[in-house]
Amino acid sequence: MGTAVVHYGAAAVTDRGLKRPSNEDAFGYSVEHGVYLVCDGMGGAAAGEIASSLAVREMMRLLTDRSPEARLPHAAEQAVAAANEAIYSRAQRSQKLSGMGTTLVALLVENSHAWMFNVGDSRGYRLRNGHLQQITLDHSLVEEQVRMGQMDRHEADRSPFKNVITRALGTQGLVTPDVFELEIEPGDLFLLCSDGLTRELSDPLIESLLRIDVPLQDLCGRLVAAAKNAGGNDNITSLLVQAGA
Ligand code: CA
């Protein structure tokens, strides 16, 4: 790619799903600033919604307002720390919000360079040349046991602990995100999503849906509709980012 400027398009859909009374997922993006986020809140009642929306608001505010000299991955690290602190201190001030937190998966783009930040079990994928690859690694008890060879995929899918995440934004004073550095090629399609999508749809099914040639907004809608058809047991969020040729 060299120094060629890559143009991006994006779209997102979030949906309560069929079983949950409210939507604790949140997303935000700015194509102009190269910032794309999905958060999945937890903590019960209103707390999950507050945690995920606070994270999106803080991250968007800090990253769309960053100085032109700020290096993106560094600015993003600071924004993650600030969002973590905002949720943590809010939770400390209210008994009802105690323990609230949120996942975060973020794609940050600067021309043909990108970084994916991850905390929790929301996921980032890339479709390149029709092939889907998961970029992030879930911070969940069972996925970590699978990676260490202590549990197989079948056991993981049936585990009563599959909801347990091992890292979240806002539940502790400090958080360390995973950071994945990426080189973008024209035509790359990135998917950021909450577990309400990936619990319902297998990776091969997500791959086949992403290969359908329709506008991004329609594609987001199709992913969410497929997850609802498959059960819709949780809130569902799908955010797509396409690198133009
Ligand atoms: Ca969820």
Side-chain angles (χ1 to χ4, degrees):
M1 280 303 300
T3 54
V5 175
V6 185
H7 294 280
Y8 293 91
V13 169
T14 188
D15 193 288
R16 188 167 58 85
L18 302 174
K19 308 283 170 67
R20 296 285 174 93
S22 61
N23 191 350
E24 302 185 356
D25 287 359
F27 70 84
Y29 67 88
S30 164
V31 175
E32 183 193 348
H33 297 93
V35 179
Y36 308 88
L37 319 166
V38 167
C39 290
D40 175 354
M42 61 191 193
E49 270 177 271
I50 290 171
S52 61
S53 60
L54 247 180
V56 167
R57 202 168 68 219
E58 274 295 285
M59 294 279 298
M60 290 305 296
R61 183 176 69 78
L62 291 164
L63 289 171
T64 57
D65 208 25
R66 67 186 191 269
S67 82
E69 296 84 46
R71 292 285 296 138
L72 194 41
H74 184 59
E77 270 168 33
Q78 291 180 326
V80 169
N84 185 71
E85 173 60 28
I87 300 163
Y88 187 66
S89 63
R90 178 91 183 262
Q92 301 274 301
R93 294 198 302 270
S94 161
Q95 187 91 53
K96 273 193 300 203
L97 302 178
S98 172
M100 72 172 172
T102 181
T103 71
L104 165 74
V105 60
L107 179 70
L108 305 150
V109 175
E110 212 167 60
N111 289 323
S112 61
H113 299 288
W115 295 266
M116 223 177 240
F117 278 58
N118 180 53
V119 177
D121 66 352
S122 296
R123 288 183 182 171
Y125 290 87
R126 177 179 62 203
L127 185 83
R128 176 176 284 177
N129 300 323
H131 174 69
L132 187 71
Q133 186 190 351
Q134 185 180 332
I135 306 288
T136 55
L137 301 171
D138 294 356
H139 299 137
S140 77
L141 198 59
V142 296
E143 289 300 324
E144 286 174 1
Q145 288 182 338
V146 168
R147 287 202 291 278
M148 288 189 292
Q150 294 169 350
M151 188 183 271
D152 66 27
R153 173 64 45 205
H154 181 70
E155 290 170 317
D157 290 343
R158 296 161 56 93
S159 168
F161 301 111
K162 64 182 184 182
N163 284 321
V164 178
I165 62 173
T166 51
R167 251 187 262 185
L169 225 61
T171 53
Q172 292 185 320
L174 289 173
V175 69
T176 307
D178 286 343
V179 182
F180 303 87
E181 194 169 357
L182 306 164
E183 285 301 311
I184 293 183
E185 293 180 5
D188 280 354
L189 179 61
F190 292 91
L191 167 66
L192 306 181
C193 59
S194 60
D195 67 336
L197 188 81
T198 51
R199 295 272 177 103
E200 307 290 4
L201 306 179
S202 68
D203 284 6
L205 184 53
I206 293 173
E207 182 182 271
S208 67
L209 286 164
L210 290 178
R211 290 164 85 163
I212 300 170
D213 187 16
V214 293
L216 289 185
Q217 192 70 45
D218 295 354
L219 212 43
C220 283
R222 284 177 190 231
L223 287 165
V224 169
K228 288 170 83 170
N229 281 335
N233 288 291
D234 196 358
N235 308 142
I236 308 152
T237 301
S238 153
L239 192 165
L240 291 170
V241 185
Q242 173 103 62

